């Protein structure tokens, strides 16, 4: 029987399926709870002029959140169906596009920060 740190178990995490499901459920519920709290804080901190329009901040945040979820689901679907052909780990293939997207978002915010703050 191989030990946990042995080369034959390298990269294998000794968790059961129910532990993954429980962690995923807790993470998803926490994300949903934080999203509603952040939307409430955003509506209090934005200019009243922005909240009177049809495309107010809460609506835009909801649409962008849905686009983000759809993009993530498509990314998971593509990586899940092709990770065998790349010969790489599923998680490593997911982190590359997430890191690139995050850096791109940070660059956009840094470039237009003075225009975003009212």
């Amino acid at each position: 029987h191989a030990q946990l740190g042995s080369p034959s178990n390298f990269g294998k995490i000794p968790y059961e399926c129910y532990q993954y499901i429980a962690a995923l459920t807790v993470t998803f519920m926490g994300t949903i709870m934080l999203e509603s709290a952040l939307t409430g804080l955003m509506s209090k901190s934005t200019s009243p002029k922005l909240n009177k329009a049809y495309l107010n901040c809460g609506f835009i945040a909801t649409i962008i959140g849905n686009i983000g979820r759809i993009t993530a689901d498509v990314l998971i679907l593509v990586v899940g169906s092709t990770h065998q052909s790349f010969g790489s780990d599923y998680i490593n293939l997911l982190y590359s596009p997430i890191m690139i997207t995050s850096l791109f978002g940070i660059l956009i915010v840094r470039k237009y920060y003075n225009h975003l703050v009212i």
Side-chain angles (χ1 to χ4, degrees), residues 69-96:
R69 284 188 195 96
I70 291 169
T71 304
D73 289 343
V74 169
L75 179 66
I76 290 170
L77 178 71
V78 168
V79 168
S81 62
T82 61
H83 84 280
Q84 295 286 339
S85 61
F86 287 120
S88 182
D89 189 16
Y90 186 74
I91 300 298
N92 290 336
L93 287 174
L94 281 174
Y95 274 114
S96 299

Side-chain angles (χ1 to χ4, degrees), residues 12-84:
K12 295 181 178 151
I13 301 173
Y15 295 123
E16 299 292 328
C17 183
Y18 69 89
Q19 290 172 317
Y20 281 114
I21 292 172
L24 181 65
T25 303
V26 168
T27 304
F28 180 76
M29 288 173 29
T31 306
I32 296 301
M33 287 187 285
L34 284 175
E35 183 182 7
S36 62
L38 289 174
T39 304
L41 286 173
M42 185 177 55
S43 69
K44 293 180 188 317
S45 63
T46 56
S47 170
K49 288 189 262 182
L50 292 175
N51 286 331
K52 289 181 182 177
Y54 176 71
L55 293 173
N56 61 17
C57 292
F59 180 72
I60 292 172
T62 302
I63 296 299
I64 290 175
N66 288 334
I67 291 171
R69 284 188 195 96
I70 291 169
T71 304
D73 289 343
V74 169
L75 179 66
I76 290 170
L77 178 71
V78 168
V79 168
S81 62
T82 61
H83 84 280
Q84 295 286 339

